[in-house]
Amino acid sequence: MVLATTTSANEINKDLYQLEDTVQDMEGNVYRTVTIGGQIWLAEGLRSTKFQDGSAVRSGVIPKDDKANLLKYGRLYSWHDVADERNLCPEGWRVATDEDWKTLERSIGMPEEEIHQEGWRGGDQQLGLQLKETQTDGPFKKVDQSLVNKHRFFARPAGVKWNGFYITEGAYTEFWTADSASDTKGIIRTLAYSWWNAHKGEIRRATSSKDYMFSVRCVKL
């Protein structure tokens, strides 16, 4: 069973594993990394279950509690773990902040007048497509496949966990930033995948309840 799972993961990650640069966290998880502009990012979802000091992370669930999803999507975390000063990321890295995401968005071509806006942004440049690993065509709007995963960020639609339920796998990916918007909400980024979704070429900047569990990407310090 372990061999079958590993083989399946290798097939799923075939293109991801073409990236040569890697970083390892304190548990031994190895992540592919990608340079975009002047930043170095994890090119896959964080999988850590421990902070840098070795203490246990309280969240960090696998989508649908299916071990086969671990290397495909990484884990989902609550914002409280994401913002914890003990740091979820490998040593020398941090959970990407709202400003880190803005820097990334500038690097891939987001207009400055959209950078600080909330809601869906970057649609004219199809920036959402450029961060997603896959995106199918739909009957109402053709997707330019040459833009898909252009920057080798490999964002995948892991969905979220909310109120004990796994939802939106295959339709959305939601990334926490390390920044708080209020006592109850944190700042996030969203990518849409469904062919019928009018925003699938965009990147959403928004806020969400800190009790949700979302994906995490780290950036090098």
Short mmCIF file of all heavy atoms in Angstrom, two decimals, residues 8 25 27 30 75 92-93 117-118 151 169 172 202 212 217 219 221:
data_model
loop_
_atom_site.label_atom_id
_atom_site.label_comp_id
_atom_site.label_asym_id
_atom_site.label_seq_id
_atom_site.Cartn_x
_atom_site.Cartn_y
_atom_site.Cartn_z
N SER A 8 1.65 6.60 -6.92
CA SER A 8 0.59 7.51 -7.32
C SER A 8 1.01 8.96 -7.13
O SER A 8 0.77 9.82 -7.98
CB SER A 8 -0.68 7.22 -6.53
OG SER A 8 -1.69 8.15 -6.82
N ASP A 25 11.89 20.58 5.90
CA ASP A 25 11.50 21.08 7.21
C ASP A 25 12.05 20.18 8.31
O ASP A 25 12.71 19.17 8.04
CB ASP A 25 9.98 21.27 7.32
CG ASP A 25 9.19 19.97 7.25
OD1 ASP A 25 9.75 18.89 7.55
OD2 ASP A 25 7.99 20.02 6.90
N GLU A 27 10.76 18.05 10.17
CA GLU A 27 10.23 16.68 10.20
C GLU A 27 10.78 15.82 9.08
O GLU A 27 10.52 14.62 9.04
CB GLU A 27 8.70 16.72 10.07
CG GLU A 27 7.99 17.34 11.23
CD GLU A 27 6.51 17.43 10.97
OE1 GLU A 27 5.82 16.40 11.06
OE2 GLU A 27 6.04 18.54 10.66
N VAL A 30 10.27 17.18 2.36
CA VAL A 30 11.03 17.88 1.32
C VAL A 30 10.06 18.56 0.37
O VAL A 30 9.10 17.95 -0.11
CB VAL A 30 11.94 16.90 0.55
CG1 VAL A 30 12.66 17.62 -0.59
CG2 VAL A 30 12.94 16.26 1.49
N ARG A 75 -1.36 20.09 3.67
CA ARG A 75 -2.33 20.10 4.76
C ARG A 75 -3.10 21.43 4.81
O ARG A 75 -2.68 22.43 4.21
CB ARG A 75 -1.62 19.87 6.10
CG ARG A 75 -0.99 18.49 6.23
CD ARG A 75 -0.29 18.31 7.56
NE ARG A 75 0.33 16.99 7.65
CZ ARG A 75 -0.27 15.90 8.11
NH1 ARG A 75 -1.52 15.98 8.56
NH2 ARG A 75 0.37 14.75 8.16
N GLY A 92 14.36 29.42 8.16
CA GLY A 92 14.77 30.36 7.13
C GLY A 92 13.63 30.78 6.22
O GLY A 92 13.83 31.53 5.27
N TRP A 93 12.43 30.30 6.54
CA TRP A 93 11.23 30.60 5.75
C TRP A 93 10.14 31.12 6.68
O TRP A 93 10.22 30.97 7.89
CB TRP A 93 10.74 29.35 5.03
CG TRP A 93 11.68 28.83 3.98
CD1 TRP A 93 12.94 28.30 4.19
CD2 TRP A 93 11.46 28.79 2.58
NE1 TRP A 93 13.50 27.93 3.00
CE2 TRP A 93 12.61 28.22 1.99
CE3 TRP A 93 10.39 29.16 1.76
CZ2 TRP A 93 12.72 28.02 0.62
CZ3 TRP A 93 10.49 28.96 0.40
CH2 TRP A 93 11.65 28.40 -0.17
N GLN A 117 -6.52 46.34 -3.65
CA GLN A 117 -7.97 46.17 -3.64
C GLN A 117 -8.36 44.84 -3.02
O GLN A 117 -7.61 43.87 -3.05
CB GLN A 117 -8.52 46.22 -5.07
CG GLN A 117 -8.40 47.57 -5.75
CD GLN A 117 -8.92 47.53 -7.18
OE1 GLN A 117 -9.47 46.52 -7.64
NE2 GLN A 117 -8.76 48.64 -7.89
N GLU A 118 -9.57 44.79 -2.46
CA GLU A 118 -10.15 43.52 -2.06
C GLU A 118 -11.02 43.00 -3.19
O GLU A 118 -11.45 43.75 -4.06
CB GLU A 118 -10.97 43.69 -0.77
CG GLU A 118 -10.12 44.00 0.44
CD GLU A 118 -10.89 43.85 1.74
OE1 GLU A 118 -12.11 43.52 1.68
OE2 GLU A 118 -10.29 44.05 2.81
N HIS A 151 4.23 30.27 -14.10
CA HIS A 151 5.32 30.58 -13.16
C HIS A 151 5.70 29.39 -12.29
O HIS A 151 6.48 29.53 -11.35
CB HIS A 151 4.92 31.78 -12.30
CG HIS A 151 4.55 32.97 -13.11
ND1 HIS A 151 5.48 33.77 -13.75
CD2 HIS A 151 3.33 33.49 -13.45
CE1 HIS A 151 4.87 34.73 -14.42
NE2 HIS A 151 3.57 34.57 -14.25
N GLU A 169 -13.18 21.07 -2.57
CA GLU A 169 -12.04 20.44 -3.26
C GLU A 169 -12.36 20.34 -4.75
O GLU A 169 -13.46 19.97 -5.15
CB GLU A 169 -11.78 19.03 -2.71
CG GLU A 169 -10.59 18.35 -3.39
CD GLU A 169 -10.39 16.90 -2.94
OE1 GLU A 169 -10.91 16.54 -1.87
OE2 GLU A 169 -9.73 16.16 -3.68
N TYR A 172 -11.93 25.27 -5.54
CA TYR A 172 -11.19 26.43 -5.04
C TYR A 172 -9.94 25.98 -4.30
O TYR A 172 -9.89 24.89 -3.74
CB TYR A 172 -12.03 27.25 -4.05
CG TYR A 172 -13.20 27.97 -4.65
CD1 TYR A 172 -14.47 27.40 -4.63
CD2 TYR A 172 -13.04 29.23 -5.23
CE1 TYR A 172 -15.56 28.07 -5.17
CE2 TYR A 172 -14.13 29.90 -5.77
CZ TYR A 172 -15.38 29.32 -5.75
OH TYR A 172 -16.45 29.97 -6.28
N GLU A 202 -8.62 35.08 -12.23
CA GLU A 202 -8.29 36.14 -11.28
C GLU A 202 -7.72 35.59 -9.97
O GLU A 202 -7.73 34.39 -9.73
CB GLU A 202 -9.55 36.97 -10.99
CG GLU A 202 -10.15 37.62 -12.23
CD GLU A 202 -11.51 38.22 -11.97
OE1 GLU A 202 -11.57 39.36 -11.44
OE2 GLU A 202 -12.52 37.56 -12.25
N TYR A 212 -11.64 28.77 9.81
CA TYR A 212 -11.50 27.93 8.63
C TYR A 212 -10.12 27.30 8.60
O TYR A 212 -9.17 27.81 9.22
CB TYR A 212 -11.67 28.76 7.36
CG TYR A 212 -13.09 28.99 6.92
CD1 TYR A 212 -13.86 30.01 7.47
CD2 TYR A 212 -13.66 28.19 5.93
CE1 TYR A 212 -15.15 30.23 7.05
CE2 TYR A 212 -14.96 28.41 5.50
CZ TYR A 212 -15.70 29.43 6.07
OH TYR A 212 -16.99 29.65 5.66
N ARG A 217 1.32 28.54 1.92
CA ARG A 217 2.58 28.60 1.18
C ARG A 217 3.57 29.44 1.97
O ARG A 217 3.21 30.47 2.55
CB ARG A 217 2.39 29.21 -0.21
CG ARG A 217 1.66 28.32 -1.20
CD ARG A 217 2.49 27.10 -1.58
NE ARG A 217 1.78 26.24 -2.52
CZ ARG A 217 1.95 26.27 -3.84
NH1 ARG A 217 2.84 27.09 -4.37
NH2 ARG A 217 1.28 25.46 -4.61
N VAL A 219 7.44 31.47 2.10
CA VAL A 219 8.38 32.22 1.28
C VAL A 219 9.69 32.34 2.06
O VAL A 219 9.71 32.43 3.29
CB VAL A 219 7.79 33.60 0.92
CG1 VAL A 219 7.62 34.47 2.16
CG2 VAL A 219 8.60 34.30 -0.15
N LEU A 221 12.99 33.80 3.70
CA LEU A 221 13.32 35.08 4.34
C LEU A 221 14.44 35.78 3.59
O LEU A 221 15.30 35.15 2.98
CB LEU A 221 13.77 34.84 5.78
CG LEU A 221 12.71 34.24 6.72
CD1 LEU A 221 13.33 33.95 8.07
CD2 LEU A 221 11.54 35.20 6.87
#
